[in-house]
Amino acid sequence: MGEMAQKIIKLDRGELIRELNVAFAEEWLAYYQYWIGAQVMVGPMRPLIADEFIEHANEELKHAQWLSDRIIQLGGKPVIDFADLQRTAQCKYEAPDKPYVMNLIEQNVVAERCAIARYQKICDMTFGKDYETYRMSAKILKEEIEHEQEIGDFSDDLRAGAELHDNLEK
Ligand SMILES: [Fe+2]
Ligand SMILES: [Fe+2]
């Protein structure tokens, strides 16, 4: 048991564990949203975009692992019931029911923006008060910012391609 690890933090432990569990649940939903999106997507650049989705999915799962480790170190318990993941997450799961690549990219951009706000919040909560959670959250924040940029770039490319096509038609 991480007795000293729990003693040194200078903020409400229960509140911190609750927030980390919200993030933990959101990572699982983000993982699944990317993973299932990669399976069903249709449209231009599909193999490239599907690979990127799988790469992001694996990173979201890695974030869930870090959060679970930290929750346990702090004396908490990660969400253990699958049905509670959706109840606990505040960034909502968007099913890829319209599997055109552009729709999937837009849904995942929304999820990434929500994740960025979540880790910015956890960084604000822990800065100067819990160095270890801060370090972990800042590292996840960096990767969520990269995710938003990477899929945003695909979206720009697809849009530029569509505009070029429209102009050639005229
Ligand atoms: Fe993540
Ligand atoms: Fe992400």
Side-chain angles (χ1 to χ4, degrees):
M1 202 186 86
E3 198 181 308
M4 194 59 179
Q6 293 169 27
K7 218 157 105 184
I8 55 172
I9 66 165
K10 295 182 225 134
L11 73 170
D12 187 292
R13 195 161 56 90
E15 198 182 313
L16 176 61
I17 290 168
R18 261 194 305 281
E19 191 67 25
L20 293 176
N21 253 326
V22 171
F24 172 79
E26 287 167 351
E27 291 293 355
W28 269 102
L29 300 188
Y31 166 76
Y32 194 68
Q33 190 171 307
Y34 270 126
W35 187 88
I36 196 69
Q39 314 308 312
V40 299
M41 77 169 53
V42 289
M45 303 202 289
R46 182 174 55 82
L48 266 180
I49 298 174
D51 281 355
E52 190 75 23
F53 272 32
I54 293 294
E55 211 175 282
H56 286 195
N58 291 334
E59 285 177 351
E60 311 305 9
L61 198 54
K62 179 186 74 184
H63 299 161
Q65 177 72 66
W66 292 347
L67 287 155
S68 169
D69 290 346
R70 188 61 186 147
I71 290 167
I72 290 168
Q73 268 178 1
L74 289 168
K77 190 165 75 173
V79 176
I80 54 163
D81 187 333
F82 206 79
D84 285 337
L85 291 176
Q86 265 192 309
R87 276 195 281 272
T88 307
Q90 290 166 15
C91 300
K92 290 304 172 199
Y93 174 75
E94 297 276 354
D97 42 12
K98 294 191 192 80
Y100 180 58
V101 277
M102 209 54 190
N103 300 332
L104 302 195
I105 287 172
E106 272 163 24
Q107 288 176 330
N108 285 298
V109 165
V110 170
E112 291 298 350
R113 288 182 180 152
C114 195
I116 289 169
R118 173 79 46 228
Y119 293 105
Q120 177 74 19
K121 183 180 172 194
I122 298 175
C123 284
D124 284 344
M125 268 176 90
T126 54
F127 185 69
K129 295 179 186 147
D130 171 356
Y131 294 104
E132 182 55 15
T133 304
Y134 175 78
R135 183 198 59 76
M136 176 198 71
S137 307
K139 209 165 146 194
I140 301 178
L141 177 62
K142 176 182 182 289
E143 295 193 356
E144 306 301 8
I145 289 170
E146 286 167 3
H147 288 173
E148 184 200 24
Q149 181 70 39
E150 284 158 1
I151 54 173
D153 286 348
F154 274 126
S155 163
D156 292 346
D157 291 346
L158 287 171
R159 248 186 262 280
E163 272 167 33
L164 186 65
H165 178 264
D166 286 351
N167 289 338
L168 291 173
E169 293 277 288
K170 277 175 198 162

